[in-house]
Amino acid sequence: MTYRLLLIAGTLLSSSHAFAFGDSYEFMSDAIMPALGATMSMDELPAMPQPAVQNGALGKTVLPGVKAPSYNKLQAASYNKLINQVAREHKLDPQLLHAIVTVESGYNPVAASPKGAQGLMQLMPDTAARFGVSNPSDPLQSLRGGARYLRFLQSHFKQDMTLVIAAYNAGEGAVGKYRNTIPPYPETREYVAKVLASYQMRTGQPLVQTAPDTAKRVHITLPPPVLPL
């Protein structure tokens, strides 16, 4: 009798470990699927999920406080013509492209991340191939590939720009997994906050309008204005 009880207990314990491993693999699956966004990769371990309910725009998702990223204005100006051209071709806001390039590569056309992202728009190899980019270090190809991805994401997420930006970083699969909310990965939430801050610093206007009861949940720190001497 004692032996049978021990055998049953051992079987249940083994099953519970298998179930736990299955849960862990399922949780990580959206971070290791091919054709992710610009910077997430299989070596990015996601944080444990926290409830994040969105009600249009940002809803109740809390983004971290960030400073608008700095950038070399002369280097940025050297890409104005090219970014404007690509923005017209794909019917995108050129300042959105500027904001993403600022956060992704700082206008370095040969930037490469340890995870394999390359170029101005920091395209992962699968994403580059998916959108017809054969040389991610070529500024025009990189911008066009990133712009095609953004247009796809805008259509996929019905113009919800917070989800578009989040998906550019983590992949549309990750955003979909969390029921079309910003995934609970610290990297992705910081990325969204930085792009929004960069856009607002450039234009003086927020990219995403928030409702009065949710605006206080978005923490974006802009640098003090530069006063004329």
Side-chain angles (χ1 to χ4, degrees):
M1 182 67 175
T2 302
Y3 173 77
R4 293 177 65 184
L5 288 174
L6 289 173
L7 182 61
I8 292 171
T11 301
L12 290 173
L13 182 61
S14 175
S15 298
S16 67
H17 279 298
F19 180 76
F21 179 81
D23 279 355
S24 175
Y25 182 82
E26 171 63 22
F27 173 65
M28 292 180 63
S29 63
D30 59 337
I32 60 177
M33 290 179 64
L36 296 178
T39 57
M40 290 290 281
S41 71
M42 63 184 296
D43 55 4
E44 185 67 27
L45 181 63
M48 291 302 293
Q50 299 294 329
V53 180
Q54 289 190 238
N55 179 19
L58 286 176
K60 296 182 179 180
T61 298
V62 179
L63 297 179
V66 299
K67 291 184 178 180
S70 60
Y71 61 95
N72 185 313
K73 289 182 171 56
L74 289 178
Q75 197 168 9
S78 70
Y79 286 105
N80 273 342
K81 184 176 181 180
L82 205 58
I83 287 176
N84 287 338
Q85 173 190 333
V86 172
R88 284 194 304 271
E89 289 174 356
H90 296 85
K91 299 181 180 178
L92 290 171
D93 182 346
Q95 295 306 323
L96 172 62
L97 287 179
H98 272 290
I100 289 178
V101 170
T102 297
V103 177
E104 289 287 359
S105 65
Y107 294 93
N108 179 2
V110 295
S113 80
K115 301 170 188 176
Q118 300 177 58
L120 287 177
M121 300 290 282
Q122 286 292 277
L123 300 173
M124 293 292 285
D126 286 337
T127 308
R130 180 182 174 190
F131 292 97
V133 176
S134 59
N135 180 11
S137 296
D138 178 79
L140 182 57
Q141 283 198 43
S142 183
L143 287 167
R144 281 176 169 163
R148 291 185 191 113
Y149 191 28
L150 287 170
R151 285 293 295 172
F152 166 80
L153 294 173
Q154 283 185 342
S155 175
H156 188 75
F157 293 112
K158 299 179 180 179
Q159 306 300 319
D160 187 326
M161 293 307 300
T162 58
L163 299 185
V164 169
I165 296 168
Y168 192 87
N169 176 259
E172 64 267 27
V175 174
K177 177 174 181 176
Y178 291 97
R179 299 183 180 183
N180 285 357
T181 64
I182 300 173
Y185 313 145
E187 175 192 327
T188 299
R189 293 196 170 182
E190 182 176 353
Y191 177 84
V192 173
K194 284 182 177 179
V195 172
L196 294 179
S198 180
Y199 184 92
Q200 187 166 338
M201 182 181 69
R202 290 171 173 283
T203 66
Q205 299 293 329
L207 177 63
V208 177
Q209 299 294 333
T210 56
D213 62 334
T214 61
K216 61 184 179 182
R217 295 178 177 272
V218 184
H219 305 287
I220 295 175
T221 304
L222 298 179
V226 178
L227 300 176
L229 298 176

